[in-house]
Amino acid sequence: MILRPRPRHRRYAILADGWFANRHAKTAHGLIRYGRDEVVCVVDSTLAGRRILEVMPHLERDAPIVGSVEEALKLGPTSILVGLAPAGGRLPEEWVRSLRTASDAGLEIVSGLHERLAPRFPGRPVWDVREPPQEIPLFSGEAFRVEPKVVLTVGTDSAIGKMTATLELERAARRAGLRAEFAATGQTGVVIAGWGVCVDAVVADFAAGAAERLVLEAARSSPDLILVEGQGALGHPAYSGVTLSLLHGSCPDCLVLCAAPGGEAFAGVPRPSPARAARLYEEVAALVKPAPVVAVSLNTAGMTDKEAAAFAAAVSDETGLPAADPFRTSAGPILEAVLEAPKTRPRVA
Protein backbone atom coordinates (compact mmCIF):
# COMPACT_ATOMS: atom_id res chain seq x y z
CA MET A 1 0.00 0.00 0.00
CA ILE A 2 1.57 3.30 -1.14
CA LEU A 3 0.42 6.28 0.90
CA ARG A 4 3.20 8.71 0.07
CA PRO A 5 4.28 8.47 -3.58
CA ARG A 6 7.53 9.92 -4.84
CA PRO A 7 7.34 13.74 -4.61
CA ARG A 8 6.33 15.42 -7.85
CA HIS A 9 6.49 19.14 -8.53
CA ARG A 10 3.37 20.37 -10.28
CA ARG A 11 2.56 23.68 -11.98
CA TYR A 12 -1.17 24.04 -11.56
CA ALA A 13 -3.84 25.72 -13.61
CA ILE A 14 -6.95 25.72 -11.43
CA LEU A 15 -10.32 25.25 -13.12
CA ALA A 16 -12.98 27.19 -11.18
CA ASP A 17 -15.09 28.74 -13.94
CA GLY A 18 -17.82 30.89 -12.45
CA TRP A 19 -17.04 29.65 -8.95
CA PHE A 20 -13.65 30.99 -7.87
CA ALA A 21 -15.09 33.60 -5.47
CA ASN A 22 -17.56 31.06 -4.04
CA ARG A 23 -16.93 29.09 -0.84
CA HIS A 24 -17.54 25.83 -2.76
CA ALA A 25 -14.22 26.40 -4.54
CA LYS A 26 -12.50 25.30 -1.34
CA THR A 27 -10.11 22.96 -3.15
CA ALA A 28 -8.88 25.90 -5.23
CA HIS A 29 -8.61 28.17 -2.21
CA GLY A 30 -6.86 25.56 -0.09
CA LEU A 31 -4.19 24.81 -2.68
CA ILE A 32 -3.46 28.48 -3.27
CA ARG A 33 -3.09 29.38 0.42
CA TYR A 34 -1.42 26.26 1.75
CA GLY A 35 -0.05 24.22 -1.15
CA ARG A 36 3.64 23.85 -1.91
CA ASP A 37 3.18 23.43 -5.67
CA GLU A 38 3.19 26.39 -8.03
CA VAL A 39 -0.10 27.91 -9.19
CA VAL A 40 0.31 29.55 -12.61
CA CYS A 41 -3.29 30.71 -13.05
CA VAL A 42 -6.97 30.28 -12.24
CA VAL A 43 -9.46 29.66 -15.04
CA ASP A 44 -12.68 31.64 -14.44
CA SER A 45 -14.25 33.46 -17.36
CA THR A 46 -16.33 35.66 -15.02
CA LEU A 47 -13.18 37.12 -13.44
CA ALA A 48 -10.78 37.04 -16.42
CA GLY A 49 -8.20 39.81 -16.43
CA ARG A 50 -8.06 40.11 -12.67
CA ARG A 51 -5.65 38.50 -10.23
CA ILE A 52 -6.14 36.14 -7.30
CA LEU A 53 -5.28 38.68 -4.62
CA GLU A 54 -7.68 41.24 -6.08
CA VAL A 55 -10.53 38.78 -5.61
CA MET A 56 -9.44 36.77 -2.56
CA PRO A 57 -6.73 38.74 -0.71
CA HIS A 58 -6.60 36.29 2.22
CA LEU A 59 -5.21 33.53 -0.04
CA GLU A 60 -1.74 35.15 0.18
CA ARG A 61 -0.44 33.91 -3.18
CA ASP A 62 -1.01 35.73 -6.46
CA ALA A 63 -1.43 34.61 -10.07
CA PRO A 64 -3.49 35.76 -13.05
CA ILE A 65 -7.10 34.75 -13.64
CA VAL A 66 -7.70 33.79 -17.25
CA GLY A 67 -10.85 33.16 -19.21
CA SER A 68 -10.16 29.77 -20.79
CA VAL A 69 -8.02 26.66 -20.70
CA GLU A 70 -6.45 27.77 -24.01
CA GLU A 71 -5.17 30.93 -22.29
CA ALA A 72 -3.95 28.88 -19.34
CA LEU A 73 -1.89 26.63 -21.60
CA LYS A 74 0.25 29.62 -22.62
CA LEU A 75 1.51 29.85 -19.02
CA GLY A 76 3.06 26.37 -19.04
CA PRO A 77 1.07 24.35 -16.48
CA THR A 78 1.76 20.66 -16.01
CA SER A 79 -1.55 19.87 -14.28
CA ILE A 80 -5.09 21.16 -14.17
CA LEU A 81 -6.93 20.98 -10.86
CA VAL A 82 -10.68 20.71 -10.54
CA GLY A 83 -11.07 23.51 -8.00
CA LEU A 84 -14.73 22.95 -7.16
CA ALA A 85 -16.21 20.71 -4.47
CA PRO A 86 -19.93 20.66 -5.39
CA ALA A 87 -22.57 18.92 -3.30
CA GLY A 88 -22.55 15.25 -4.27
CA GLY A 89 -19.12 15.60 -5.86
CA ARG A 90 -20.20 15.52 -9.52
CA LEU A 91 -18.58 17.64 -12.20
CA PRO A 92 -20.51 20.15 -14.35
CA GLU A 93 -20.58 18.79 -17.90
CA GLU A 94 -19.17 21.98 -19.41
CA TRP A 95 -16.10 21.51 -17.23
CA VAL A 96 -15.51 18.10 -18.77
CA ARG A 97 -15.01 19.80 -22.14
CA SER A 98 -12.45 22.16 -20.59
CA LEU A 99 -10.62 19.23 -19.02
CA ARG A 100 -10.59 17.44 -22.36
CA THR A 101 -8.88 20.45 -23.93
CA ALA A 102 -6.27 20.38 -21.16
CA SER A 103 -5.80 16.62 -21.41
CA ASP A 104 -5.40 16.78 -25.19
CA ALA A 105 -2.59 19.28 -24.56
CA GLY A 106 -0.83 16.76 -22.32
CA LEU A 107 -1.79 18.10 -18.89
CA GLU A 108 -2.41 15.83 -15.93
CA ILE A 109 -5.94 16.11 -14.54
CA VAL A 110 -6.17 16.33 -10.74
CA SER A 111 -9.62 15.85 -9.22
CA GLY A 112 -10.91 15.33 -5.71
CA LEU A 113 -14.50 14.62 -6.72
CA HIS A 114 -16.42 11.52 -5.72
CA GLU A 115 -16.90 10.88 -9.44
CA ARG A 116 -13.74 9.27 -10.81
CA LEU A 117 -12.43 10.96 -13.95
CA ALA A 118 -9.89 8.36 -15.08
CA PRO A 119 -12.58 6.34 -16.91
CA ARG A 120 -13.50 9.45 -18.91
CA PHE A 121 -9.90 9.96 -19.99
CA PRO A 122 -8.50 6.47 -20.65
CA GLY A 123 -4.76 6.35 -21.22
CA ARG A 124 -4.31 9.95 -20.04
CA PRO A 125 -2.66 11.06 -16.79
CA VAL A 126 -5.37 11.50 -14.15
CA TRP A 127 -4.96 11.72 -10.38
CA ASP A 128 -8.31 10.84 -8.85
CA VAL A 129 -7.43 12.03 -5.37
CA ARG A 130 -10.34 10.21 -3.73
CA GLU A 131 -9.30 6.82 -5.09
CA PRO A 132 -8.11 4.98 -1.96
CA PRO A 133 -4.93 2.89 -1.97
CA GLN A 134 -5.32 -0.83 -2.35
CA GLU A 135 -5.03 -3.32 0.51
CA ILE A 136 -5.80 -1.01 3.42
CA PRO A 137 -5.63 -3.20 6.52
CA LEU A 138 -7.97 -3.32 9.48
CA PHE A 139 -7.01 -1.30 12.53
CA SER A 140 -4.24 -3.13 14.38
CA GLY A 141 -3.34 -0.95 17.37
CA GLU A 142 0.16 -0.34 16.05
CA ALA A 143 -0.47 3.42 16.20
CA PHE A 144 -0.71 3.18 20.00
CA ARG A 145 3.08 2.95 20.01
CA VAL A 146 4.11 5.89 17.81
CA GLU A 147 6.52 8.25 19.54
CA PRO A 148 5.50 11.67 18.18
CA LYS A 149 2.51 13.39 19.73
CA VAL A 150 -0.62 12.93 17.62
CA VAL A 151 -3.16 15.75 17.39
CA LEU A 152 -6.58 15.39 15.74
CA THR A 153 -8.98 18.21 14.87
CA VAL A 154 -12.66 17.54 15.59
CA GLY A 155 -15.71 19.75 15.23
CA THR A 156 -19.13 20.79 16.41
CA ASP A 157 -20.20 20.46 12.76
CA SER A 158 -18.98 19.43 9.34
CA ALA A 159 -17.36 22.07 7.06
CA ILE A 160 -16.42 24.21 10.04
CA GLY A 161 -12.69 24.68 9.47
CA LYS A 162 -10.91 21.52 10.59
CA MET A 163 -8.51 21.47 7.64
CA THR A 164 -7.75 25.18 8.06
CA ALA A 165 -7.14 24.74 11.78
CA THR A 166 -4.80 21.81 11.16
CA LEU A 167 -2.80 23.63 8.50
CA GLU A 168 -2.58 26.85 10.51
CA LEU A 169 -1.36 24.76 13.45
CA GLU A 170 1.26 23.21 11.17
CA ARG A 171 2.40 26.68 10.11
CA ALA A 172 2.67 27.82 13.71
CA ALA A 173 4.66 24.71 14.64
CA ARG A 174 7.11 25.23 11.80
CA ARG A 175 7.56 28.89 12.70
CA ALA A 176 8.37 27.71 16.24
CA GLY A 177 11.12 25.48 14.87
CA LEU A 178 9.19 22.22 15.31
CA ARG A 179 8.95 19.41 12.79
CA ALA A 180 5.27 18.82 12.06
CA GLU A 181 3.68 16.30 9.69
CA PHE A 182 0.26 17.06 8.25
CA ALA A 183 -1.72 13.83 7.72
CA ALA A 184 -4.34 14.61 5.08
CA THR A 185 -7.68 12.81 5.21
CA GLY A 186 -9.77 14.81 2.69
CA GLN A 187 -9.46 15.66 -0.96
CA THR A 188 -8.22 19.23 -0.55
CA GLY A 189 -5.74 18.23 2.12
CA VAL A 190 -4.35 15.44 -0.05
CA VAL A 191 -3.88 17.85 -2.97
CA ILE A 192 -2.09 20.31 -0.68
CA ALA A 193 0.18 17.71 0.93
CA GLY A 194 0.69 15.57 -2.17
CA TRP A 195 -0.15 12.44 -0.17
CA GLY A 196 -2.74 11.03 2.20
CA VAL A 197 -6.02 9.10 2.10
CA CYS A 198 -9.52 10.45 1.57
CA VAL A 199 -11.02 8.48 4.42
CA ASP A 200 -14.59 9.04 3.26
CA ALA A 201 -13.84 6.93 0.19
CA VAL A 202 -12.61 3.91 2.16
CA VAL A 203 -14.89 0.93 2.89
CA ALA A 204 -16.30 1.51 6.38
CA ASP A 205 -14.64 -1.46 8.13
CA PHE A 206 -11.23 -0.27 6.95
CA ALA A 207 -11.57 3.47 7.62
CA ALA A 208 -9.97 3.25 11.07
CA GLY A 209 -7.17 1.18 9.55
CA ALA A 210 -6.61 3.89 6.93
CA ALA A 211 -6.38 6.52 9.68
CA GLU A 212 -3.87 4.37 11.54
CA ARG A 213 -1.75 3.86 8.41
CA LEU A 214 -1.62 7.65 7.89
CA VAL A 215 -0.27 8.15 11.40
CA LEU A 216 2.29 5.37 10.98
CA GLU A 217 3.45 6.85 7.67
CA ALA A 218 3.74 10.33 9.16
CA ALA A 219 5.73 8.94 12.10
CA ARG A 220 8.41 7.53 9.77
CA SER A 221 10.05 10.96 9.48
CA SER A 222 10.25 11.25 13.32
CA PRO A 223 8.44 14.61 13.59
CA ASP A 224 7.69 16.43 16.81
CA LEU A 225 3.98 16.52 16.00
CA ILE A 226 1.63 14.56 13.77
CA LEU A 227 -1.36 16.73 12.87
CA VAL A 228 -4.31 14.70 11.61
CA GLU A 229 -6.93 16.52 9.57
CA GLY A 230 -10.39 15.86 10.97
CA GLN A 231 -13.55 15.09 8.99
CA GLY A 232 -17.27 15.39 9.68
CA ALA A 233 -18.65 15.66 13.22
CA LEU A 234 -20.12 13.31 15.79
CA GLY A 235 -23.26 15.45 15.80
CA HIS A 236 -23.74 15.39 12.03
CA PRO A 237 -25.76 12.28 11.06
CA ALA A 238 -24.44 12.19 7.49
CA TYR A 239 -20.74 12.25 8.40
CA SER A 240 -20.41 10.94 11.95
CA GLY A 241 -19.10 7.57 10.76
CA VAL A 242 -15.90 8.97 9.26
CA THR A 243 -15.43 11.13 12.36
CA LEU A 244 -15.54 8.11 14.64
CA SER A 245 -13.12 6.16 12.44
CA LEU A 246 -10.58 8.98 12.66
CA LEU A 247 -11.12 9.46 16.38
CA HIS A 248 -10.26 5.84 17.15
CA GLY A 249 -8.03 4.93 14.21
CA SER A 250 -5.55 7.81 14.49
CA CYS A 251 -5.02 7.16 18.24
CA PRO A 252 -4.63 10.86 19.08
CA ASP A 253 -3.01 12.11 22.27
CA CYS A 254 -5.09 15.28 22.26
CA LEU A 255 -7.87 16.98 20.32
CA VAL A 256 -8.44 20.50 19.01
CA LEU A 257 -12.15 21.29 18.79
CA CYS A 258 -13.30 23.45 15.88
CA ALA A 259 -16.40 25.54 16.50
CA ALA A 260 -18.50 28.37 15.09
CA PRO A 261 -21.52 30.26 16.41
CA GLY A 262 -24.75 28.18 16.92
CA GLY A 263 -26.96 26.92 14.13
CA GLU A 264 -28.03 23.58 12.75
CA ALA A 265 -25.69 20.75 11.91
CA PHE A 266 -28.29 19.06 9.71
CA ALA A 267 -32.04 19.32 9.02
CA GLY A 268 -33.00 20.76 12.37
CA VAL A 269 -30.34 18.91 14.39
CA PRO A 270 -28.67 21.69 16.45
CA ARG A 271 -24.93 21.96 16.78
CA PRO A 272 -23.82 20.98 20.27
CA SER A 273 -22.26 23.73 22.33
CA PRO A 274 -18.45 23.68 22.42
CA ALA A 275 -18.47 22.49 26.03
CA ARG A 276 -20.86 19.62 25.30
CA ALA A 277 -19.00 18.67 22.13
CA ALA A 278 -15.70 18.59 24.02
CA ARG A 279 -17.17 16.25 26.63
CA LEU A 280 -18.63 13.96 23.98
CA TYR A 281 -15.39 13.70 22.01
CA GLU A 282 -13.39 12.98 25.15
CA GLU A 283 -15.81 10.30 26.30
CA VAL A 284 -15.92 8.56 22.92
CA ALA A 285 -12.15 8.77 22.44
CA ALA A 286 -11.55 7.35 25.91
CA LEU A 287 -13.33 4.13 24.98
CA VAL A 288 -10.08 3.30 23.17
CA LYS A 289 -7.47 5.86 24.24
CA PRO A 290 -7.83 9.04 26.33
CA ALA A 291 -7.51 12.22 24.27
CA PRO A 292 -8.44 15.48 25.99
CA VAL A 293 -9.68 18.52 24.09
CA VAL A 294 -6.94 21.06 24.82
CA ALA A 295 -8.04 24.10 22.79
CA VAL A 296 -10.85 25.43 20.62
CA SER A 297 -10.20 26.68 17.08
CA LEU A 298 -12.90 29.16 16.07
CA ASN A 299 -14.39 29.97 12.70
CA THR A 300 -15.39 33.64 12.97
CA ALA A 301 -15.96 34.31 9.29
CA GLY A 302 -18.39 37.18 8.77
CA MET A 303 -17.80 38.66 12.22
CA THR A 304 -16.20 41.99 13.02
CA ASP A 305 -12.99 41.90 15.05
CA LYS A 306 -14.97 42.99 18.12
CA GLU A 307 -17.58 40.28 17.63
CA ALA A 308 -14.88 37.64 17.06
CA ALA A 309 -13.03 38.65 20.23
CA ALA A 310 -16.25 38.47 22.25
CA PHE A 311 -17.08 35.05 20.82
CA ALA A 312 -13.58 33.76 21.63
CA ALA A 313 -13.88 35.02 25.21
CA ALA A 314 -17.30 33.41 25.61
CA VAL A 315 -16.12 30.03 24.31
CA SER A 316 -13.04 30.15 26.50
CA ASP A 317 -15.19 30.92 29.56
CA GLU A 318 -17.63 28.13 28.67
CA THR A 319 -14.99 25.45 28.08
CA GLY A 320 -12.15 26.60 30.33
CA LEU A 321 -9.84 26.22 27.30
CA PRO A 322 -7.86 28.64 25.14
CA ALA A 323 -9.97 29.68 22.14
CA ALA A 324 -8.76 31.52 19.05
CA ASP A 325 -9.43 31.90 15.35
CA PRO A 326 -6.06 30.86 13.87
CA PHE A 327 -6.99 32.31 10.48
CA ARG A 328 -7.98 35.74 11.80
CA THR A 329 -5.39 36.09 14.55
CA SER A 330 -2.89 33.36 15.46
CA ALA A 331 -2.66 29.64 16.11
CA GLY A 332 -0.14 30.38 18.86
CA PRO A 333 -2.48 29.76 21.83
CA ILE A 334 -3.64 26.50 20.28
CA LEU A 335 -0.08 25.33 19.64
CA GLU A 336 0.91 26.17 23.20
CA ALA A 337 -1.94 24.05 24.55
CA VAL A 338 -1.00 21.17 22.25
CA LEU A 339 2.63 21.26 23.34
CA GLU A 340 1.64 21.23 27.01
CA ALA A 341 -0.57 18.16 26.57
CA PRO A 342 1.07 14.88 27.61
CA LYS A 343 1.26 11.71 25.56
CA THR A 344 -1.53 9.35 26.55
CA ARG A 345 -1.78 5.59 26.77
CA PRO A 346 -4.48 3.32 25.39
CA ARG A 347 -7.22 2.09 27.67
CA VAL A 348 -6.25 -1.18 29.37
CA ALA A 349 -8.88 -3.64 30.59
Side-chain angles (χ1 to χ4, degrees):
M1 180 179 65
I2 299 175
L3 290 184
R4 197 191 309 239
R6 181 177 300 174
R8 174 178 176 178
H9 176 71
R10 292 176 168 90
R11 288 170 48 86
Y12 276 110
I14 300 177
L15 180 61
D17 199 23
W19 287 87
F20 181 60
N22 189 288
R23 66 182 182 85
H24 289 295
K26 65 179 184 179
T27 303
H29 301 161
L31 175 65
I32 293 168
R33 181 175 172 89
Y34 298 110
R36 299 180 181 92
D37 289 303
E38 186 176 356
V39 174
V40 302
C41 67
V42 171
V43 180
D44 186 337
S45 59
T46 66
L47 298 170
R50 302 180 71 181
R51 297 185 68 85
I52 289 172
L53 291 181
E54 289 181 57
V55 179
M56 307 288 281
H58 64 279
L59 295 183
E60 298 185 352
R61 280 202 290 178
D62 206 13
I65 303 175
V66 300
S68 67
V69 170
E70 289 83 358
E71 291 178 70
L73 292 173
K74 298 175 184 177
L75 299 173
T78 63
S79 306
I80 184 164
L81 171 71
V82 178
L84 180 64
R90 294 194 66 82
L91 190 65
E93 198 57 39
E94 60 269 23
W95 284 29
V96 175
R97 293 191 287 271
S98 295
L99 292 176
R100 194 164 300 283
T101 298
S103 182
D104 288 345
L107 269 63
E108 173 197 36
I109 296 172
V110 178
S111 169
L113 302 180
H114 286 286
E115 175 190 10
R116 306 300 193 262
L117 296 188
R120 292 202 186 206
F121 299 90
R124 302 293 180 86
V126 176
W127 179 19
D128 277 317
V129 176
R130 262 199 165 96
E131 187 67 30
Q134 296 180 351
E135 300 179 358
I136 295 175
L138 289 168
F139 178 79
S140 69
E142 191 176 350
F144 288 146
R145 298 186 293 275
V146 299
E147 292 186 9
K149 187 181 296 181
V150 180
V151 185
L152 172 68
T153 49
V154 294
T156 58
D157 198 354
S158 181
I160 206 165
K162 292 180 288 293
M163 183 195 74
T164 297
T166 311
L167 287 165
E168 291 292 340
L169 187 56
E170 181 195 31
R171 280 184 165 190
R174 292 185 184 279
R175 284 195 293 266
L178 301 171
R179 291 169 295 125
E181 278 279 5
F182 170 63
T185 63
Q187 74 276 12
T188 303
V190 173
V191 170
I192 291 168
W195 74 283
V197 177
C198 293
V199 180
D200 66 359
V202 176
V203 174
D205 279 357
F206 297 90
E212 181 180 44
R213 290 294 114 183
L214 282 169
V215 167
L216 295 174
E217 175 61 35
R220 291 177 59 187
S221 64
S222 299
D224 298 300
L225 294 171
I226 296 173
L227 306 174
V228 183
E229 176 192 12
Q231 298 293 329
L234 283 180
H236 195 299
Y239 306 121
S240 54
V242 70
T243 306
L244 185 58
S245 295
L246 285 168
L247 188 60
H248 287 163
S250 65
C251 302
D253 296 294
C254 64
L255 308 173
V256 172
L257 177 68
C258 300
E264 298 178 356
F266 180 82
V269 177
R271 288 175 180 163
S273 70
R276 185 181 182 211
R279 290 194 301 271
L280 288 171
Y281 279 108
E282 289 179 346
E283 289 173 6
V284 174
L287 293 171
V288 175
K289 180 186 177 188
V293 175
V294 298
V296 185
S297 176
L298 303 175
N299 183 339
T300 62
M303 293 182 174
T304 65
D305 287 346
K306 184 177 180 180
E307 290 168 339
F311 179 53
V315 171
S316 185
D317 287 344
E318 176 194 336
T319 60
L321 299 170
D325 183 336
F327 190 87
R328 182 187 288 261
T329 56
S330 168
I334 299 171
L335 176 63
E336 184 176 350
V338 164
L339 295 178
E340 289 177 355
K343 287 280 293 177
T344 60
R345 296 181 179 276
R347 182 171 175 263
V348 178

